[in-house]
Amino acid sequence: MERKSYPTDLTDMDWEILAPLIPPAKEGGHPPTTDMGEICNAIYFHLKTGCQWNMLPGDFPPRSTVYSYYRKWQGQGVWEKFNHTLGGQVRSKLGKSTQPIALAADSQSVNTDQKKGMCMVLTDVKR
């Protein structure tokens, strides 16, 4: 039976970009039996809707499996890789460098606890 589609589901193009960034299964262990795309879809559903893990719809993989991958990938920096990769592609589509190329620093006094603060702002500079 095919699962219901949700607005948070990855498109085929999204999955094509993200799939190579997911760490491979450990060697010597059992091969994964869960579709990693479905794990991502369940995690994105959770993040977008703000539902509790135990409130994930039943047509996703088991919530304990989804949560386990979420935490494991969090510790491995997978989410940062996703954001970095997707952010670079968005910047590229906008005709910008995939990385910000300029840094502006402003060292003005900030009224916190009588300490001077420094405000740093990343900006885009067209070459």
Side-chain angles (χ1 to χ4, degrees):
M1 182 164 104
E2 197 165 311
R3 176 179 72 72
K4 174 185 171 183
S5 176
Y6 295 99
T8 56
D9 284 355
L10 296 169
T11 64
D12 290 341
M13 191 181 336
D14 294 337
W15 181 241
E16 205 173 292
I17 294 165
L18 297 179
L21 303 175
I22 294 176
K26 290 181 183 177
E27 289 192 28
H30 292 284
T33 57
T34 306
D35 179 355
M36 291 297 113
E38 286 300 297
I39 294 291
C40 288
N41 284 334
I43 291 170
Y44 286 131
F45 182 91
H46 162 76
L47 294 174
K48 185 68 175 177
T49 64
C51 75
Q52 297 173 352
W53 289 108
N54 64 354
M55 301 286 287
L56 282 175
D59 50 358
F60 283 125
R63 66 178 180 250
S64 59
T65 303
V66 174
Y67 181 74
S68 174
Y69 276 103
Y70 174 78
R71 293 293 300 189
K72 180 168 61 169
W73 291 348
Q74 188 177 38
Q76 294 173 338
V78 173
W79 301 118
E80 287 82 5
K81 290 178 194 171
F82 280 10
N83 286 334
H84 179 76
T85 300
L86 295 175
Q89 289 194 359
V90 168
R91 292 179 58 80
S92 181
K93 282 187 178 185
L94 294 173
K96 299 180 180 182
S97 167
T98 56
Q99 296 292 319
I101 54 175
L103 175 71
D106 179 16
S107 60
Q108 65 184 21
S109 297
V110 177
N111 281 338
T112 52
D113 53 357
Q114 284 94 25
K115 294 181 182 175
K116 290 189 176 185
M118 184 171 193
C119 175
M120 297 177 71
V121 179
L122 291 176
T123 60
D124 295 317
V125 176
K126 291 248 181 194
R127 289 184 188 199

